[in-house]
């Protein structure tokens, strides 16, 4: 992910991870993988429910691209390729920010 992060930054994208795990768990995960983007603690799964990425206590990995106007420009379950995500970001790269 860190290798792809530079490509996302070049496209003026901001990357976040969201997960219901605890803050301590997130810190260990960030240290282990040396992640260079923030992980948001989704206590109670509120964010997952709002984005329809959760079913009860389970959260399904889902990638979203939020356009500069706040609309969802892209949504895909699983692990889309970096190229697929960048293709969606491209038209929005020059947006406000």
């Amino acid at each position: 992910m860190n290798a792809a992060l530079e490509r996302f930054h070049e496209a003026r994208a901001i990357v976040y991870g969201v997960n219901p795990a605890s803050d301590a768990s997130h810190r260990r995960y960030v240290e282990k993988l040396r992640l260079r983007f923030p992980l948001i603690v989704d206590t109670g799964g509120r964010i997952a429910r709002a984005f329809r990425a959760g079913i009860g206590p389970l959260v399904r990995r889902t990638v979203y691209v939020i356009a500069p106007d706040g609309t969802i420009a892209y949504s895909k379950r699983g692990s889309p390729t970096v190229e697929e995500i960048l293709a969606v970001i491209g038209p929005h790269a020059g947006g406000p920010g």
Side-chain angles (χ1 to χ4, degrees):
M1 182 63 191
N2 282 332
L5 192 60
E6 293 304 318
R7 295 178 67 191
F8 292 128
H9 285 169
E10 288 170 8
R12 296 186 61 205
I14 300 169
V15 176
Y16 296 96
V18 180
N19 188 282
S22 70
D23 186 50
S25 174
H26 279 192
R27 278 185 287 212
R28 287 190 301 270
Y29 190 70
V30 166
E31 289 173 14
K32 178 181 177 182
L33 297 180
R34 297 186 174 142
L35 297 179
R36 296 180 299 155
F37 58 91
L39 295 180
I40 298 169
V41 176
D42 185 18
T43 304
R46 202 168 116 213
I47 297 169
R49 281 193 305 281
F51 282 86
R52 296 188 176 129
I55 299 176
L58 302 175
V59 176
R60 297 179 291 175
R61 179 188 170 115
T62 309
V63 174
Y64 292 94
V65 173
I66 310 298
D69 67 1
T71 60
I72 296 174
Y74 173 86
S75 171
K76 186 170 184 177
R77 303 258 188 250
S79 300
T81 66
V82 171
E83 289 72 23
E84 186 176 347
I85 298 167
L86 286 171
V88 176
I89 292 171
H92 303 286

